[in-house]
Amino acid sequence: MTAKRMLQSLTPPLLWQGLKILKQRLAPSPSGFSYAPQGWDTPLPRGRRTTDYWTAFIEKERSECALLIAQIQAGLPLDGGDGVKHLVFGYVLAIAARNTDRISVLDYGANLGDYYWLARSLVPGVDLEYHCKELLEVAAAGQHLTPAATWHTDDSCLDRSYDLVMFSSSLQYLPDWQGVLGRAARSSVHHLFLSDVPTVRNVPTFAALERSAGMTNVHHQLNRTDILQKVASEGLELIREFTMSPHPFIDDAPEQPTRVGWLFGRPQPST
């Protein structure tokens, strides 16, 4: 038995849990990720909000998005660590654009519009009606880099229909992820795409703290069955599941997640 296990066996459960929370606050994990047993109610340092995490990175994201745009406009090969996500996105677009020369897309959690530029590069010749949903400050920055997209800052964007609705590395950051996912599925005429979702299979959905550059955020590790059942309840069928990039280790997590993606489709009436 390790020293840690021996100490845990001698410590009352409530006290042990309290010590774990205290440790997370006073000595954050160098990995940047740790289990948050209080879920979305976990207090963030210095009274910050989860939205502060994103606005703090606008300048970094601006430079990365500008580089991506320059590479695409110059016809250069795409580089960076998102190769799998880009390939999967290309596949999804090819499916969504079959037998049509125009598609409408809602990119929920669109960052600064990166995927609009990828879409133009990956499916040339297709007319894109591209919509981006983001936080107010992020959307303001995104409009400068991606003015061809229509930008939204609230969920009224889900009141209309789109050929493709997508979440890329964003679903897990929504407190009411099931409510938003249900509305998104109903807004999808043909396809719903979930990309890069931290996913667990054997435990219920739980929250984790994510730390980067002195900022802290909360995000879900979503139970796979919950996701599939929620989408199925809105009438969409699973087309394909994708294994994506590894997820960083989360200290004290009940299960380590993997990053997964799914493409769903709405059954079309027989002709």
Side-chain angles (χ1 to χ4, degrees):
M1 178 182 292
T2 64
K4 179 179 178 180
R5 291 292 185 187
M6 183 177 297
L7 179 61
Q8 183 176 1
S9 67
L10 298 174
T11 306
L14 288 178
L15 178 57
W16 181 261
Q17 186 63 37
L19 290 172
K20 285 172 61 178
I21 295 173
L22 183 62
K23 174 190 172 186
Q24 291 166 4
R25 291 184 181 178
L26 297 180
S29 164
S31 72
F33 292 83
S34 59
Y35 176 50
Q38 292 177 262
W40 217 260
D41 294 326
T42 302
L44 300 182
R46 298 182 294 278
R48 293 190 182 275
R49 305 164 302 163
T50 57
T51 53
D52 295 332
Y53 182 91
W54 302 112
T55 54
F57 290 95
I58 287 177
E59 288 307 315
K60 174 178 177 292
E61 297 296 331
R62 194 197 313 270
S63 62
E64 292 182 356
C65 186
L67 177 60
L68 175 68
I69 294 170
Q71 289 175 329
I72 290 173
Q73 291 179 332
L76 299 175
L78 298 177
D79 56 16
D82 291 328
V84 172
K85 288 196 292 185
H86 294 171
L87 286 172
V88 171
F89 180 55
Y91 166 82
V92 169
L93 279 178
I95 296 294
R98 282 186 305 183
N99 305 318
T100 184
D101 57 4
R102 188 177 191 275
I103 59 172
S104 57
V105 180
L106 172 62
D107 186 348
Y108 195 108
N111 200 350
L112 300 183
D114 316 48
Y115 275 69
Y116 164 80
W117 296 97
L118 283 169
R120 287 188 53 185
S121 174
L122 294 171
V123 287
V126 174
D127 183 13
L128 288 170
E129 180 194 338
Y130 206 90
H131 294 254
C132 298
K133 160 62 174 67
E134 259 301 351
L135 301 172
L136 182 62
E137 295 88 346
V138 180
Q143 285 176 321
H144 289 285
L145 284 173
T146 315
T150 300
W151 289 85
H152 305 266
T153 57
D154 61 51
D155 283 354
S156 63
C157 61
L158 296 170
D159 293 337
R160 56 153 289 180
S161 298
Y162 307 88
D163 296 308
L164 170 65
V165 180
M166 60 177 283
F167 296 78
S168 181
S169 304
S170 59
L171 183 65
Q172 59 266 30
Y173 293 104
L174 303 176
D176 181 23
W177 69 270
Q178 292 203 46
V180 175
L181 180 58
R183 288 188 64 185
R186 293 190 292 274
S187 293
S188 171
V189 176
H190 298 298
H191 294 97
L192 172 68
F193 175 43
L194 310 180
S195 176
D196 210 35
V197 181
T199 305
V200 292
R201 293 172 177 263
N202 303 310
V203 300
T205 292
F206 65 89
L209 291 177
E210 177 180 354
R211 287 175 296 277
S212 178
M215 301 296 294
T216 306
N217 199 7
V218 184
H219 72 289
H220 293 295
Q221 321 306 304
L222 299 172
N223 179 273
R224 178 180 181 272
T225 299
D226 289 347
I227 293 173
L228 298 184
Q229 288 182 345
K230 181 61 181 178
V231 176
S233 72
E234 300 295 345
L236 276 73
E237 298 177 347
L238 177 63
I239 296 176
R240 187 171 294 276
E241 182 170 324
F242 311 95
T243 300
M244 310 195 83
S245 57
H247 193 283
F249 187 84
I250 300 177
D251 286 350
D252 299 319
E255 179 181 335
Q256 293 301 318
T258 55
R259 283 175 169 152
V260 182
W262 298 273
L263 175 62
F264 302 92
R266 189 172 301 282
Q268 299 302 306
S270 301
T271 56

